Amino acid sequence: MAMTAKVKDELSRHEVTKPCCRKAEVAATLRFAGGLHIIGGRIVVEAELDTANAARRLRREIHELYGQTPEVLVLAAGGLRKGSRYVVRVVQDGEALARQTGLIDGRGRPVRGLPPKVVSGSVCDAEAAWRGAFLAHGSLTEPGRSSALELTCPGPEAALALVGAARRLGISAKAREVRGIDRVVIRDGDAIGAMLTRLGAHDAVLAWEERRMRREVRATANRLANFDDANLRRSARAAVAAGSRVGRALEILGDDIPDHLREAGQLRLQHKQASLEELGQLAQPAMTKDAVAGRIRRLLAMADKRAEDLGIPGTDANLTPDMLDS
């Protein structure tokens, strides 16, 4: 199950007992999932939801809290709609419901943000408002570089109200407009987990954190593998380059080479991709890698000085661009 569907399924089954929280959730769901319509001179309250459980929850809460019995219409998938949509509609006494839920003020004007009782309510009201908004128009992407918990808002006032509610919960959320649509986004992984916990989606939090951890472990393993592979390639190129310079040094110096330097040079030529530590173990008697490096360094310096005196190319004459690329 996709993360958004998983969260909405769990939230639609989350039990809330406090009347103020239940009312805040209903108000936010109605505000974010629909709106007010004038039909035949009467105010009709509608909310369009994408899951049957969320529609049943809203219908039950409206009936238990306000004594209204909404009708539920099913819009079958087709055209731009990928799945079925569920419309919860209150026609009879719609104006009374709109006033009770705070969708319109005392003068009958639509409230642009969230109802004042929700905005100035307790922390549990802020949680309920986020839960209702997520059931209405929320989404949660898979953990990763672009993971986000996002809510589509009916307007900038509603978006700012949600940002304020998140701030009261100690969670940072940002309001932004994308192609003319107002959204509220939480991108930080820890903040997403904290918000889901606040909303009551505990099973979804565990699933999301597990996927997040699995992805981070995989990404870390890939980075380490790439890092080790790059180091191996660099070490191999450096060893081949050193072998090329040593070969040129032996050509320049001929027989006029101290035995201990010749031995180190021949080891480098015979084992071009071996590390300095491996060359030291191959020597007779065995040497440390610092001793091998010191002898090869002196051999190259002696050869370069001889080449400069003779006016001929030095030990780097045979190096190719691939050997120099580190």
Side-chain angles (χ1 to χ4, degrees):
M1 183 184 296
M3 288 309 307
T4 298
K6 188 175 185 67
V7 174
K8 289 188 176 183
D9 178 67
E10 187 172 1
L11 292 184
S12 66
R13 293 181 284 103
H14 181 67
E15 289 295 329
V16 181
T17 56
K18 293 179 66 174
C20 64
C21 300
R22 295 171 67 188
K23 290 180 178 180
E25 181 183 320
V26 168
T29 304
L30 291 175
R31 184 72 184 92
F32 281 76
L36 305 175
H37 304 283
I38 305 296
I39 299 179
R42 294 188 300 178
I43 292 179
V44 175
V45 179
E46 277 191 357
E48 185 175 324
L49 301 163
D50 56 3
T51 68
N53 285 343
R56 282 193 291 266
R57 178 186 181 91
L58 179 59
R59 182 180 186 277
R60 184 189 72 238
E61 294 289 73
I62 291 175
H63 178 69
E64 293 179 0
L65 292 170
Y66 302 107
Q68 304 273 13
T69 304
E71 58 179 332
V72 178
L73 308 176
V74 180
L75 304 179
L80 297 177
R81 287 195 302 271
K82 295 182 179 179
S84 297
R85 307 285 294 182
Y86 303 87
V87 178
V88 180
R89 178 183 293 168
V90 176
V91 178
Q92 190 72 27
D93 293 329
E95 182 175 351
L97 178 63
R99 290 183 185 278
Q100 290 173 306
T101 55
L103 295 180
I104 59 176
D105 61 18
R107 297 182 180 180
R109 297 173 303 186
V111 173
R112 291 187 175 276
L114 286 173
K117 288 184 179 180
V118 177
V119 173
S120 60
S122 62
V123 169
C124 67
D125 291 334
E127 294 173 350
W130 265 83
R131 184 165 50 248
F134 192 93
L135 284 170
H137 262 300
S139 65
L140 176 64
T141 58
E142 294 287 334
R145 186 175 300 175
S146 59
S147 61
L149 189 156
E150 184 173 284
L151 299 178
T152 302
C153 305
E157 296 87 356
L160 292 176
L162 272 189
V163 170
R167 189 182 303 116
R168 285 159 57 199
L169 301 177
I171 298 172
S172 176
K174 292 184 178 180
R176 61 194 183 99
E177 183 181 332
V178 181
R179 292 188 293 275
I181 299 175
D182 292 286
R183 303 176 189 274
V184 173
V185 184
I186 301 175
R187 292 202 177 277
D188 180 73
D190 294 335
I192 291 175
M195 179 58 80
L196 291 175
T197 302
R198 287 280 200 170
L199 300 186
H202 302 292
D203 291 341
V205 171
L206 294 177
W208 193 83
E209 290 289 357
E210 181 184 355
R211 297 184 190 186
R212 179 187 175 196
M213 187 176 300
R214 190 184 305 133
R215 186 180 181 91
E216 288 178 354
V217 168
R218 189 184 304 121
T220 301
N222 289 338
R223 281 197 302 272
L224 290 176
N226 292 337
F227 178 77
D228 290 342
D229 188 46
N231 277 344
L232 287 173
R233 287 197 300 270
R234 280 195 292 268
S235 297
R237 282 197 296 266
V240 172
S244 176
R245 292 191 66 193
V246 166
R248 176 61 179 162
L250 295 179
E251 290 179 11
I252 294 172
L253 296 174
D255 296 333
D256 190 14
I257 308 175
D259 291 341
H260 65 292
L261 299 186
R262 182 187 299 277
E263 179 187 1
Q266 289 175 341
L267 278 174
R268 177 78 282 174
L269 284 179
Q270 293 167 6
H271 308 280
K272 288 188 176 181
Q273 295 192 3
S275 66
L276 291 172
E277 187 173 358
E278 291 169 339
L279 291 181
Q281 294 171 355
L282 292 170
Q284 295 295 332
M287 296 184 289
T288 65
K289 65 177 183 179
D290 292 333
V292 176
R295 292 186 181 185
I296 292 177
R297 190 164 52 247
R298 288 195 295 275
L299 173 64
L300 297 178
M302 183 184 297
D304 282 331
K305 187 176 184 306
R306 177 71 60 82
E308 185 179 356
D309 294 340
L310 298 175
I312 61 176
T315 59
D316 57 356
N318 295 334
L319 295 181
T320 65
D322 288 341
M323 296 179 186
L324 294 173
D325 184 16
S326 58

